[in-house]
Short mmCIF file of all heavy atoms in Angstrom, two decimals:
data_model
loop_
_atom_site.label_atom_id
_atom_site.label_comp_id
_atom_site.label_asym_id
_atom_site.label_seq_id
_atom_site.Cartn_x
_atom_site.Cartn_y
_atom_site.Cartn_z
N MET Y 985 77.39 136.36 95.07
CA MET Y 985 77.15 135.30 94.08
C MET Y 985 77.26 133.91 94.79
O MET Y 985 78.35 133.60 95.34
CB MET Y 985 78.15 135.43 92.97
CG MET Y 985 78.23 134.21 92.01
SD MET Y 985 76.90 134.27 90.77
CE MET Y 985 76.92 132.58 90.18
N GLY Y 987 77.87 130.14 95.05
CA GLY Y 987 78.74 129.27 94.28
C GLY Y 987 77.90 128.23 93.56
O GLY Y 987 76.78 128.26 93.57
N LEU Y 988 78.68 127.47 92.90
CA LEU Y 988 78.09 126.37 92.10
C LEU Y 988 77.21 125.49 93.02
O LEU Y 988 77.71 125.10 94.04
CB LEU Y 988 79.20 125.55 91.51
CG LEU Y 988 78.93 124.48 90.49
CD1 LEU Y 988 78.14 125.04 89.35
CD2 LEU Y 988 80.24 123.89 90.00
N MET Y 989 76.09 125.16 92.52
CA MET Y 989 75.21 124.20 93.17
C MET Y 989 74.77 124.61 94.61
O MET Y 989 74.44 123.79 95.43
CB MET Y 989 75.92 122.86 93.32
CG MET Y 989 76.15 122.27 91.91
SD MET Y 989 77.21 120.85 92.02
CE MET Y 989 78.16 121.02 90.58
N ASP Y 1068 71.07 130.10 85.86
CA ASP Y 1068 70.49 131.12 84.98
C ASP Y 1068 70.53 130.72 83.51
O ASP Y 1068 70.61 131.56 82.64
CB ASP Y 1068 71.23 132.48 85.20
CG ASP Y 1068 72.67 132.39 85.16
OD1 ASP Y 1068 73.17 131.28 84.72
OD2 ASP Y 1068 73.36 133.34 85.51
N ARG Y 1118 73.02 118.09 92.31
CA ARG Y 1118 74.37 117.72 92.00
C ARG Y 1118 74.58 117.24 90.60
O ARG Y 1118 75.70 117.20 90.09
CB ARG Y 1118 74.92 116.61 92.94
CG ARG Y 1118 74.78 116.90 94.41
CD ARG Y 1118 75.53 118.19 94.77
NE ARG Y 1118 76.94 118.15 94.33
CZ ARG Y 1118 77.93 117.88 95.04
NH1 ARG Y 1118 77.81 117.44 96.29
NH2 ARG Y 1118 79.17 117.87 94.58
N GLN Y 1130 68.58 110.11 73.10
CA GLN Y 1130 70.02 110.32 73.48
C GLN Y 1130 70.51 111.67 73.06
O GLN Y 1130 71.22 112.38 73.80
CB GLN Y 1130 70.81 109.19 72.80
CG GLN Y 1130 72.25 109.19 73.03
CD GLN Y 1130 72.65 108.27 74.16
OE1 GLN Y 1130 71.88 107.46 74.61
NE2 GLN Y 1130 73.83 108.38 74.63
N ALA Y 1133 69.44 114.37 75.24
CA ALA Y 1133 70.20 114.34 76.49
C ALA Y 1133 71.55 114.92 76.31
O ALA Y 1133 72.05 115.64 77.18
CB ALA Y 1133 70.30 112.91 76.99
N GLU Y 1134 72.17 114.67 75.21
CA GLU Y 1134 73.47 115.22 74.92
C GLU Y 1134 73.44 116.72 74.88
O GLU Y 1134 74.31 117.38 75.38
CB GLU Y 1134 73.95 114.74 73.54
CG GLU Y 1134 74.63 113.39 73.53
CD GLU Y 1134 74.87 112.92 72.16
OE1 GLU Y 1134 75.30 113.72 71.27
OE2 GLU Y 1134 74.59 111.82 71.89
N ASP Y 1138 75.30 119.44 77.19
CA ASP Y 1138 76.10 120.58 76.70
C ASP Y 1138 75.69 121.88 77.25
O ASP Y 1138 76.48 122.77 77.40
CB ASP Y 1138 75.97 120.56 75.14
CG ASP Y 1138 77.26 121.09 74.48
OD1 ASP Y 1138 78.29 120.87 75.09
OD2 ASP Y 1138 77.08 121.64 73.40
N LYS Y 1141 77.08 122.30 81.49
CA LYS Y 1141 78.34 121.62 81.55
C LYS Y 1141 78.92 121.35 82.91
O LYS Y 1141 79.74 120.47 83.08
CB LYS Y 1141 79.40 122.45 80.75
CG LYS Y 1141 79.20 122.51 79.27
CD LYS Y 1141 80.51 122.96 78.61
CE LYS Y 1141 80.42 123.11 77.17
NZ LYS Y 1141 79.83 124.48 76.82
N ASP Y 1142 78.39 122.03 83.85
CA ASP Y 1142 79.00 121.83 85.26
C ASP Y 1142 78.61 120.45 85.81
O ASP Y 1142 79.28 119.95 86.68
CB ASP Y 1142 78.38 122.86 86.22
CG ASP Y 1142 78.98 124.24 85.89
OD1 ASP Y 1142 79.90 124.40 85.09
OD2 ASP Y 1142 78.50 125.27 86.46
N TYR Y 1143 77.51 119.91 85.25
CA TYR Y 1143 76.91 118.74 85.93
C TYR Y 1143 77.12 117.46 85.11
O TYR Y 1143 77.11 117.48 83.88
CB TYR Y 1143 75.48 119.00 86.18
CG TYR Y 1143 75.19 120.19 87.01
CD1 TYR Y 1143 74.89 121.40 86.46
CD2 TYR Y 1143 75.28 120.14 88.41
CE1 TYR Y 1143 74.65 122.57 87.16
CE2 TYR Y 1143 75.03 121.26 89.15
CZ TYR Y 1143 74.72 122.50 88.57
OH TYR Y 1143 74.48 123.55 89.31
N ALA Y 1144 77.23 116.43 85.83
CA ALA Y 1144 77.18 115.07 85.14
C ALA Y 1144 75.72 114.86 84.67
O ALA Y 1144 74.80 115.23 85.34
CB ALA Y 1144 77.60 114.05 86.13
N VAL Y 1145 75.63 114.32 83.56
CA VAL Y 1145 74.31 113.99 82.99
C VAL Y 1145 74.37 112.46 82.72
O VAL Y 1145 75.06 111.97 81.86
CB VAL Y 1145 73.98 114.76 81.73
CG1 VAL Y 1145 72.61 114.34 81.14
CG2 VAL Y 1145 73.98 116.23 81.96
N SER Y 1146 73.55 111.77 83.42
CA SER Y 1146 73.45 110.28 83.19
C SER Y 1146 72.14 109.96 82.63
O SER Y 1146 71.11 110.60 82.89
CB SER Y 1146 73.58 109.56 84.52
OG SER Y 1146 74.75 109.98 85.23
N THR Y 1147 72.11 108.91 81.79
CA THR Y 1147 70.88 108.55 81.20
C THR Y 1147 70.29 107.36 81.90
O THR Y 1147 70.95 106.48 82.36
CB THR Y 1147 71.07 108.21 79.68
OG1 THR Y 1147 72.10 107.28 79.61
CG2 THR Y 1147 71.49 109.45 78.89
N LYS Y 1181 67.68 102.23 91.09
CA LYS Y 1181 68.98 101.48 91.16
C LYS Y 1181 69.96 102.03 90.16
O LYS Y 1181 71.11 102.15 90.44
CB LYS Y 1181 68.70 99.96 90.78
CG LYS Y 1181 68.26 99.14 91.94
CD LYS Y 1181 69.41 98.17 92.29
CE LYS Y 1181 69.49 97.95 93.80
NZ LYS Y 1181 68.19 97.50 94.31
N GLN Y 1185 73.52 103.77 90.98
CA GLN Y 1185 74.73 103.25 90.43
C GLN Y 1185 75.51 104.21 89.64
O GLN Y 1185 76.79 104.31 89.72
CB GLN Y 1185 74.49 102.01 89.56
CG GLN Y 1185 75.81 101.22 89.25
CD GLN Y 1185 75.62 100.36 88.00
OE1 GLN Y 1185 74.55 99.73 87.83
NE2 GLN Y 1185 76.64 100.31 87.15
N MET Y 1186 74.82 105.06 88.95
CA MET Y 1186 75.49 106.04 88.06
C MET Y 1186 76.05 107.20 88.80
O MET Y 1186 76.76 107.98 88.21
CB MET Y 1186 74.49 106.51 87.06
CG MET Y 1186 73.94 105.48 86.18
SD MET Y 1186 75.02 105.16 84.81
CE MET Y 1186 74.05 105.80 83.51
N SER Y 1187 75.67 107.37 90.02
CA SER Y 1187 76.03 108.58 90.67
C SER Y 1187 77.23 108.46 91.63
O SER Y 1187 77.36 107.42 92.27
CB SER Y 1187 74.85 109.07 91.50
OG SER Y 1187 75.20 110.23 92.23
N ASP Y 1188 77.99 109.53 91.71
CA ASP Y 1188 79.09 109.55 92.62
C ASP Y 1188 78.57 110.03 94.01
O ASP Y 1188 79.29 109.97 95.01
CB ASP Y 1188 80.14 110.54 92.16
CG ASP Y 1188 80.84 110.17 90.88
OD1 ASP Y 1188 80.99 108.89 90.77
OD2 ASP Y 1188 81.13 111.07 90.12
N ARG Y 1190 75.60 110.03 97.08
CA ARG Y 1190 74.65 109.08 97.70
C ARG Y 1190 73.35 109.74 97.89
O ARG Y 1190 73.22 110.87 98.37
CB ARG Y 1190 75.17 108.64 99.05
CG ARG Y 1190 76.44 107.76 98.96
CD ARG Y 1190 76.70 107.07 100.25
NE ARG Y 1190 75.63 106.20 100.68
CZ ARG Y 1190 75.49 104.99 100.15
NH1 ARG Y 1190 76.32 104.53 99.24
NH2 ARG Y 1190 74.47 104.23 100.54
N ASN Y 1266 71.20 135.85 90.14
CA ASN Y 1266 71.68 136.56 89.03
C ASN Y 1266 71.59 138.05 89.20
O ASN Y 1266 72.06 138.81 88.39
CB ASN Y 1266 70.93 136.20 87.77
CG ASN Y 1266 71.79 136.28 86.52
OD1 ASN Y 1266 72.97 136.21 86.66
ND2 ASN Y 1266 71.12 136.51 85.39
N PRO I 1520 85.33 120.74 81.50
CA PRO I 1520 84.28 121.57 81.00
C PRO I 1520 83.53 122.24 82.10
O PRO I 1520 83.27 121.58 83.14
CB PRO I 1520 83.40 120.65 80.18
CG PRO I 1520 83.88 119.27 80.47
CD PRO I 1520 85.14 119.33 81.29
N CYS I 1521 83.08 123.44 81.89
CA CYS I 1521 82.19 124.06 82.89
C CYS I 1521 81.35 125.10 82.23
O CYS I 1521 81.65 125.54 81.05
CB CYS I 1521 82.95 124.67 84.09
SG CYS I 1521 84.00 126.01 83.61
N SER I 1522 80.32 125.55 82.80
CA SER I 1522 79.39 126.49 82.27
C SER I 1522 80.04 127.83 82.23
O SER I 1522 81.05 128.13 82.89
CB SER I 1522 78.09 126.51 83.07
OG SER I 1522 78.40 127.09 84.29
N VAL I 1524 78.96 130.58 83.51
CA VAL I 1524 78.96 131.23 84.83
C VAL I 1524 80.06 130.74 85.74
O VAL I 1524 80.77 131.50 86.34
CB VAL I 1524 77.58 131.09 85.49
CG1 VAL I 1524 77.59 131.69 86.85
CG2 VAL I 1524 76.50 131.60 84.65
N THR I 1525 80.20 129.43 85.67
CA THR I 1525 81.20 128.83 86.54
C THR I 1525 82.58 129.27 86.04
O THR I 1525 83.51 129.55 86.85
CB THR I 1525 81.11 127.31 86.50
OG1 THR I 1525 79.84 126.92 86.92
CG2 THR I 1525 82.14 126.68 87.46
N LEU I 1528 83.23 132.60 87.27
CA LEU I 1528 83.34 132.63 88.73
C LEU I 1528 84.82 132.17 89.01
O LEU I 1528 85.50 132.82 89.83
CB LEU I 1528 82.37 131.65 89.37
CG LEU I 1528 82.39 131.62 90.85
CD1 LEU I 1528 82.08 132.92 91.46
CD2 LEU I 1528 81.40 130.53 91.40
N LYS I 1568 81.81 139.68 82.99
CA LYS I 1568 81.27 138.82 84.08
C LYS I 1568 82.41 138.57 85.05
O LYS I 1568 82.11 138.72 86.28
CB LYS I 1568 80.78 137.53 83.47
CG LYS I 1568 80.04 136.67 84.49
CD LYS I 1568 78.65 137.12 84.64
CE LYS I 1568 77.92 136.22 85.67
NZ LYS I 1568 76.70 136.85 85.98
N LEU I 1572 82.21 139.77 88.94
CA LEU I 1572 82.30 138.86 90.10
C LEU I 1572 83.56 139.22 90.90
O LEU I 1572 83.51 139.08 92.18
CB LEU I 1572 82.42 137.46 89.58
CG LEU I 1572 81.14 136.91 88.94
CD1 LEU I 1572 81.40 135.62 88.19
CD2 LEU I 1572 80.11 136.65 90.03
N ASN I 1591 84.60 125.38 94.14
CA ASN I 1591 83.72 125.33 92.92
C ASN I 1591 84.22 124.34 91.94
O ASN I 1591 83.40 123.65 91.37
CB ASN I 1591 83.61 126.80 92.37
CG ASN I 1591 82.71 127.65 93.19
OD1 ASN I 1591 81.53 127.49 93.08
ND2 ASN I 1591 83.27 128.47 94.09
N LYS I 1594 83.47 120.55 92.36
CA LYS I 1594 82.07 120.07 92.13
C LYS I 1594 81.78 119.76 90.68
O LYS I 1594 80.77 119.22 90.36
CB LYS I 1594 81.07 121.09 92.63
CG LYS I 1594 81.09 121.22 94.20
CD LYS I 1594 80.10 122.30 94.59
CE LYS I 1594 80.16 122.59 96.06
NZ LYS I 1594 79.65 123.94 96.37
N LEU I 1595 82.65 120.25 89.81
CA LEU I 1595 82.41 119.99 88.39
C LEU I 1595 82.48 118.51 88.12
O LEU I 1595 83.31 117.79 88.70
CB LEU I 1595 83.49 120.74 87.55
CG LEU I 1595 83.35 122.27 87.65
CD1 LEU I 1595 84.54 122.87 87.02
CD2 LEU I 1595 82.07 122.70 86.99
N SER I 1596 81.60 118.10 87.25
CA SER I 1596 81.43 116.66 87.13
C SER I 1596 82.68 116.01 86.56
O SER I 1596 82.96 114.79 86.82
CB SER I 1596 80.20 116.30 86.28
OG SER I 1596 80.53 116.48 84.93
N ASN I 1620 86.62 107.74 92.46
CA ASN I 1620 85.52 106.84 92.85
C ASN I 1620 85.41 105.62 92.09
O ASN I 1620 84.79 104.69 92.44
CB ASN I 1620 84.19 107.60 92.78
CG ASN I 1620 84.09 108.66 93.78
OD1 ASN I 1620 84.62 108.59 94.88
ND2 ASN I 1620 83.56 109.80 93.41
N LYS I 1626 79.33 108.20 76.84
CA LYS I 1626 79.09 108.16 75.39
C LYS I 1626 78.71 109.58 75.05
O LYS I 1626 77.74 110.11 75.60
CB LYS I 1626 77.97 107.16 75.05
CG LYS I 1626 77.67 107.08 73.57
CD LYS I 1626 76.79 105.89 73.24
CE LYS I 1626 76.52 105.83 71.81
NZ LYS I 1626 75.72 106.96 71.35
N ASP I 1627 79.45 110.07 74.14
CA ASP I 1627 79.38 111.55 73.86
C ASP I 1627 79.49 112.27 75.18
O ASP I 1627 80.43 111.99 75.96
CB ASP I 1627 78.08 111.83 73.08
CG ASP I 1627 78.10 111.20 71.75
OD1 ASP I 1627 79.14 111.21 71.09
OD2 ASP I 1627 77.09 110.56 71.37
N LYS I 1628 78.56 113.14 75.55
CA LYS I 1628 78.73 113.78 76.81
C LYS I 1628 77.95 113.15 77.98
O LYS I 1628 77.86 113.69 79.00
CB LYS I 1628 78.36 115.22 76.61
CG LYS I 1628 79.36 115.94 75.72
CD LYS I 1628 78.93 117.32 75.36
CE LYS I 1628 79.91 117.85 74.38
NZ LYS I 1628 79.54 119.11 73.84
N LEU I 1629 77.38 112.05 77.67
CA LEU I 1629 76.47 111.42 78.71
C LEU I 1629 77.19 110.37 79.41
O LEU I 1629 77.90 109.54 78.86
CB LEU I 1629 75.25 110.93 77.97
CG LEU I 1629 74.41 111.94 77.23
CD1 LEU I 1629 73.30 111.28 76.41
CD2 LEU I 1629 73.88 113.05 78.16
N ARG I 1630 76.92 110.28 80.62
CA ARG I 1630 77.41 109.14 81.48
C ARG I 1630 76.48 107.99 81.21
O ARG I 1630 75.26 108.10 81.48
CB ARG I 1630 77.44 109.54 82.92
CG ARG I 1630 78.13 108.54 83.79
CD ARG I 1630 77.99 108.95 85.28
NE ARG I 1630 78.92 110.02 85.60
CZ ARG I 1630 79.04 110.49 86.80
NH1 ARG I 1630 78.40 109.96 87.80
NH2 ARG I 1630 79.89 111.44 87.01
N ILE I 1631 77.01 106.95 80.75
CA ILE I 1631 76.07 105.80 80.51
C ILE I 1631 76.34 104.63 81.44
O ILE I 1631 75.52 103.72 81.57
CB ILE I 1631 76.18 105.30 79.06
CG1 ILE I 1631 77.62 104.93 78.70
CG2 ILE I 1631 75.66 106.31 78.09
CD1 ILE I 1631 77.69 104.16 77.32
N ASN I 1632 77.41 104.75 82.14
CA ASN I 1632 77.64 103.72 83.17
C ASN I 1632 78.73 104.17 84.10
O ASN I 1632 79.49 105.10 83.87
CB ASN I 1632 78.03 102.33 82.62
CG ASN I 1632 77.39 101.20 83.45
OD1 ASN I 1632 77.08 101.33 84.59
ND2 ASN I 1632 77.31 100.07 82.74
N ARG I 1633 78.72 103.47 85.27
CA ARG I 1633 79.64 103.92 86.27
C ARG I 1633 79.99 102.61 87.07
O ARG I 1633 79.09 101.85 87.44
CB ARG I 1633 79.10 104.96 87.20
CG ARG I 1633 79.93 105.23 88.42
CD ARG I 1633 79.26 106.28 89.29
NE ARG I 1633 79.91 106.53 90.54
CZ ARG I 1633 79.70 105.85 91.65
NH1 ARG I 1633 78.78 104.93 91.64
NH2 ARG I 1633 80.36 106.06 92.74
N GLU I 1657 73.15 92.30 93.88
CA GLU I 1657 72.30 91.53 94.81
C GLU I 1657 71.57 90.35 94.19
O GLU I 1657 71.54 89.28 94.71
CB GLU I 1657 71.21 92.50 95.42
CG GLU I 1657 71.74 93.54 96.27
CD GLU I 1657 70.82 94.69 96.49
OE1 GLU I 1657 69.71 94.60 95.83
OE2 GLU I 1657 71.11 95.58 97.20
N SER I 1968 81.48 105.62 103.49
CA SER I 1968 80.13 105.72 103.09
C SER I 1968 79.76 104.87 101.97
O SER I 1968 78.65 104.51 101.77
CB SER I 1968 79.83 107.18 102.69
OG SER I 1968 80.72 107.55 101.69
N GLU I 1971 78.59 100.37 102.03
CA GLU I 1971 77.29 99.63 102.04
C GLU I 1971 77.05 99.06 100.71
O GLU I 1971 76.29 98.11 100.51
CB GLU I 1971 76.25 100.66 102.40
CG GLU I 1971 76.18 101.03 103.82
CD GLU I 1971 76.88 102.30 104.03
OE1 GLU I 1971 76.59 103.25 103.28
OE2 GLU I 1971 77.73 102.38 104.95
#
Side-chain angles (χ1 to χ4, degrees):
Chain Y
M985 168 81 194
L988 187 56
M989 295 169 217
D1068 50 10
R1118 303 303 308 265
Q1130 180 96 10
E1134 273 170 46
D1138 211 30
K1141 288 201 185 79
D1142 291 350
Y1143 302 96
V1145 178
S1146 307
T1147 53
K1181 272 251 145 56
Q1185 190 200 320
M1186 298 277 250
S1187 176
D1188 294 325
R1190 290 193 65 78
N1266 209 26
Chain I
C1521 66
S1522 67
V1524 178
T1525 305
L1528 183 63
K1568 188 80 183 169
L1572 291 166
N1591 284 280
K1594 291 178 188 160
L1595 294 169
S1596 78
N1620 294 323
K1626 181 168 180 292
D1627 296 316
K1628 290 173 184 172
L1629 303 172
R1630 186 184 287 184
I1631 56 171
N1632 214 338
R1633 171 180 175 271
E1657 289 162 0
S1968 58
E1971 287 97 47

